Amino acid sequence: MSLTKKILIALGLGVIVGLALTFVPENIFSPIDNYVLYPIGQIFINLIMMVVVPIVFVSIVLGSAGLGEPAKLGKIGIQTISFFLITTAFALCISLALAYAIKPGAEGVFDVNTANYEASEAPPIMETIVNIIPTNPLSSMATGSMLQIIAFAIFIGVALAFLGDKTKGIYRLFEQANEILMLVVNFIMKTAPYGAFALIASAIGGAGLDAVGSMGAYMGTVVLGLFVHAGITYSLAIWLLGRENPLHFYKGFFPAMSVAFSTASSSATLPISMKTAQENLGVNKNISSFVQPLGATINMDGTAIMQATAAVFISQVYAIPLEFSDIIMIIITATLASIGTAGVPGVGLIMLAMVLTQIGLPVEGIALIIGIDRLLDMLRTSLNITGDATCAYIISENEKRKNIKTG
């Protein structure tokens, strides 16, 4: 049986067990979750996180060095960031349209008097940009500061490209390190079905049917937005720009999407995401090594869909109508915030708090959706990494066609 089938079966069983656990008393669910589901799921996530920093550093160095000229690296960097910003704007427009059409936050249904949420403060965008250059690269690696790790790795990769044969031994060392890390990822992937089962069962069992039921309209709107964005925006991009059948793309990338669904972390899924894109979709290793780690840090289309839907939902619950200028502000703020809050823990809710503050909605409204945010986080993470892979695939295919024409 293929790994994909094993993960699918594990996810299905996890959903069934999770739903069954919603009917058991708390004094029975807690021991099952604390001593069985949580440890299994956390071990799986820890195994992946163990290799994230070394894989990001090694792959970005190889990708930057392999792309060669700094001009080419800059060109691909501009294409990558442009793709991320444009698709994020599209995602926001889709989710806003659906939220106004479905109206998930009908006035008077939810009790807002008990809603309470203390928002974490996001760093200013300029501060994030300044901090991209690390003062201590080793400290950045120890703390997992991805943007700083990426910046340092690009410098090393460009230096290797400039020095050429002088550093052939160092370049080969990085290649060997990459081979070792990919083998470790293969070993870790064998545990994916067990991790996926435990994580989804714990998430559904912990949320409870009451939370899921009362928030059904909101959940449905977010999920529909995620599927529409994948089915239209990404599919058209793959078809028109990548010149490939979207179904072939999604079929090849599905193993990574399923792992992202269970872990709810773009960074944790990154090793599997890169491996799947390179092996199943034929994405150039250098391009994959540069684009996908960058995307895992700053590309958050799924999160953007949640933010826009949540903003409209909260405005409807509190009966505070949004002006057209507020809609434009949601699009601008959420798009820029996807880069400005890169790498911040709990980034989705922090970005939402920024958006709500900007348009004058009560941040306390976040308390209404926080109970089911973990479930939606799983789906939007799958969309986030799919956007990263879509960008890498399109750039890789275009580079292949250029090479065929010129040579």
Side-chain angles (χ1 to χ4, degrees):
M1 188 183 297
S2 69
L3 181 63
T4 302
K5 288 181 181 178
K6 289 180 181 178
I7 293 175
L8 274 175
I9 291 171
L11 288 173
L13 290 174
V15 169
I16 293 169
V17 171
L19 290 173
L21 288 173
T22 61
F23 294 101
V24 303
E26 180 64 25
N27 62 337
I28 296 177
F29 171 74
S30 291
I32 294 174
D33 188 40
N34 293 337
Y35 296 106
V36 181
L37 299 178
Y38 175 80
I40 294 173
Q42 196 60 43
I43 287 171
F44 175 59
I45 290 178
N46 288 353
L47 282 170
I48 301 176
M49 293 302 293
M50 174 180 70
V51 295
V52 167
V53 169
I55 277 184
V56 168
F57 180 66
V58 170
S59 62
I60 286 282
V61 169
L62 288 174
S64 303
L67 291 174
E69 302 171 4
K72 185 177 181 181
L73 180 65
K75 181 182 176 184
I76 290 177
I78 291 171
Q79 290 175 350
T80 300
I81 293 174
S82 298
F83 182 89
F84 291 158
L85 291 176
I86 291 169
T87 55
T88 299
F90 273 118
L92 288 161
C93 292
I94 289 170
S95 55
L96 286 168
L98 290 174
Y100 274 108
I102 297 172
K103 295 181 173 61
E107 184 181 350
V109 174
F110 297 92
D111 181 12
V112 297
N113 294 321
T114 58
N116 185 32
Y117 178 79
E118 187 173 337
S120 301
E121 187 176 349
I125 291 177
M126 286 310 299
E127 182 181 324
T128 302
I129 293 173
V130 169
N131 288 337
I132 287 175
I133 307 300
T135 55
N136 185 341
L138 294 180
S139 174
S140 300
M141 291 180 188
T143 57
S145 302
M146 286 301 169
L147 277 180
Q148 296 183 348
I149 294 169
I150 290 170
F152 180 61
I154 289 173
F155 280 116
I156 299 297
V158 171
L160 286 175
F162 265 116
L163 292 170
D165 290 341
K166 291 181 181 179
T167 53
K168 188 183 294 182
I170 299 293
Y171 183 80
R172 179 59 186 151
L173 183 64
F174 274 101
E175 286 185 324
Q176 291 170 334
N178 189 58
E179 289 169 9
I180 292 170
L181 290 168
M182 284 299 122
L183 184 62
V184 173
V185 170
N186 282 334
F187 293 148
I188 293 172
M189 279 300 290
K190 295 183 184 301
T191 69
Y194 309 103
F197 166 80
L199 289 166
I200 188 66
S202 176
I204 293 177
L209 284 180
D210 291 340
V212 174
S214 64
M215 298 296 292
Y218 168 74
M219 285 186 68
T221 307
V222 174
V223 172
L224 181 59
L226 296 172
F227 277 97
V228 169
H229 189 55
I232 295 179
T233 307
Y234 290 160
S235 294
L236 283 176
I238 293 164
W239 181 45
L240 297 175
L241 303 178
R243 302 181 189 177
E244 178 57 85
N245 183 342
L247 293 177
H248 173 265
F249 175 91
Y250 290 125
K251 183 180 179 182
F253 195 64
F254 184 80
M257 295 168 67
S258 60
V259 172
F261 179 75
S262 60
T263 63
S265 170
S266 297
S267 294
T269 314
L270 183 58
I272 290 94
S273 178
M274 290 171 57
K275 178 177 179 293
T276 305
Q278 292 169 18
E279 295 181 0
N280 293 4
L281 301 175
V283 176
N284 178 281
K285 285 188 178 182
N286 293 327
I287 292 173
S288 168
S289 298
F290 178 80
V291 173
Q292 288 181 271
L294 187 62
T297 310
I298 68 172
N299 183 40
M300 302 176 187
D301 288 2
T303 305
I305 287 172
M306 178 275 289
Q307 291 163 357
T309 306
V312 175
F313 169 78
I314 290 169
S315 77
Q316 292 170 350
V317 168
Y318 282 87
I320 303 174
L322 297 177
E323 304 292 335
F324 180 73
S325 59
D326 295 325
I327 303 299
I328 299 299
M329 191 56 66
I330 290 174
I331 295 173
I332 294 172
T333 306
T335 303
L336 295 177
S338 66
I339 294 177
T341 55
V344 178
V347 65
L349 296 179
I350 290 176
M351 289 168 67
L352 177 57
M354 287 175 62
V355 171
L356 295 178
T357 302
Q358 193 68 35
I359 58 177
L361 289 177
V363 175
E364 292 77 13
I366 294 176
L368 299 173
I369 64 172
I370 202 167
I372 57 164
D373 190 66
R374 177 68 171 82
L375 296 176
L376 292 177
D377 196 12
M378 301 166 88
L379 277 171
R380 63 180 185 251
T381 301
S382 295
L383 186 78
N384 288 344
I385 68 154
T386 303
D388 304 339
T390 299
C391 181
Y393 180 80
I394 290 170
I395 293 174
S396 177
E397 290 299 302
N398 287 334
E399 288 298 314
K400 287 178 186 176
R401 284 191 286 270
K402 286 180 186 176
N403 292 335
I404 291 171
K405 286 182 181 178
T406 57

